[in-house]
Amino acid sequence: MAQRKRIAVFASGSGSNFEAVATAAAGDADSPYEVALLVCDKPGARAIERAERLGVPVLAVRPKQYDSREAYEADVVRELRERGIDFVVLAGYMRLITATLLDAFPNRILNIHPSLLPAFPGLHAVEQALAYGAKVAGVTVHYVDGGMDSGAIIAQEAIPVRSDDTPETLFPRVQAIEHRLYPAVVRAFAENRIRLDGRRVTIEGGLRFD
Ligand code: GAR
């Protein structure tokens, strides 16, 4: 088997997507990737507990201790290089990325967002969709560029919004999709099956959910 790709997952909060991506690899002897690092910018975040339980090394970062976002990211990039990281997976990492990180991993940073982009970018996407009166909600996995949730779309999945939905009822259904979709996309990416042509993305052989 080819060498497993080493990925770093960045998370700021609960870390349920981090856990889904990590356990999908840990439970599969033929996984094309392994989660080699959790980068977390929030002390005490639940993502850190999950990483400790799963035996994934943690890099706890303190962006506010730096003079600039670039200086912070330069340090993170150095750590990623030292640890032989091949690509980066953002999973609830609530910061905009600068050119420092983007240029170090060109077209090798993915993000997941809880809406059907380009609708409802930014914070509280599920609440935004409900407030707008949208009839479908969903999940988008996309490449990261310099904008807010604006990179080329790799995969999307929609679900109906029910007339009595609240954020508390809709968000768990959105997250259930995330936890299935993100590992499948990360796997396809690690297998070099994702092609980017302008904003158009194709996945050779499609996504595999097993
Ligand atoms: C996820 O729903 C993810 O899509 C969202 O944050 C949540 C993190 O949950 N990301 C964004 O809103 C990015 N704009 P998790 O920490 O349990 O994985």
Side-chain angles (χ1 to χ4, degrees):
M1 190 185 71
Q3 186 104 20
R4 286 180 173 198
K5 296 275 167 41
R6 293 171 61 77
I7 75 170
V9 178
F10 286 40
S12 302
S14 151
S16 69
N17 280 285
F18 154 72
E19 178 157 355
V21 169
T23 53
D28 174 7
D30 295 325
S31 173
Y33 73 87
E34 66 185 293
V35 176
L37 185 66
L38 171 73
V39 176
C40 185
D41 62 340
K42 289 281 186 306
R46 202 161 152 228
I48 294 175
E49 274 175 55
R50 293 185 198 257
E52 285 167 353
R53 176 162 45 79
L54 296 168
V56 174
V58 176
L59 178 65
V61 292
R62 300 280 180 278
K64 283 192 185 132
Q65 290 180 350
Y66 294 83
D67 290 339
S68 66
R69 291 196 294 162
E70 288 74 12
Y72 155 63
E73 285 187 358
D75 249 9
V76 173
V77 166
R78 191 175 43 72
E79 289 276 358
L80 299 180
R81 292 225 161 98
E82 274 174 13
R83 294 164 196 252
I85 298 300
D86 295 298
F87 66 97
V88 169
V89 169
L90 307 185
Y93 178 67
M94 295 307 187
R95 279 173 193 281
L96 276 178
I97 301 296
T98 77
T100 305
L101 186 55
L102 282 168
D103 292 349
F105 289 87
N107 291 332
R108 282 188 291 142
I109 308 178
L110 310 182
N111 184 41
I112 191 159
H113 184 75
S115 78
L116 296 173
L117 290 170
F120 315 124
L123 294 175
H124 310 301
V126 170
E127 286 86 345
Q128 289 187 59
L130 284 170
Y132 196 86
K135 300 298 187 200
V136 284
V139 172
T140 303
V141 180
H142 62 92
Y143 284 96
V144 174
D145 63 12
M148 165 88 81
D149 300 321
S150 56
I153 292 170
I154 300 171
Q156 289 185 305
E157 196 171 316
I159 48 161
V161 175
R162 299 176 188 151
S163 56
D164 59 351
D165 261 329
T166 63
E168 290 69 36
T169 59
L170 181 53
F171 191 58
R173 302 207 307 282
V174 168
Q175 282 229 300
I177 293 173
E178 293 190 323
H179 298 161
R180 196 167 40 81
L181 192 60
Y182 216 5
V185 172
V186 171
R187 177 182 175 161
F189 195 83
E191 290 172 341
N192 294 317
R193 292 192 290 111
I194 302 190
R195 304 271 169 268
L196 177 62
D197 176 14
R199 284 199 61 91
R200 301 290 295 269
V201 173
T202 48
I203 305 175
E204 287 172 8
L207 292 177
R208 296 177 195 149
F209 300 95
D210 47 31

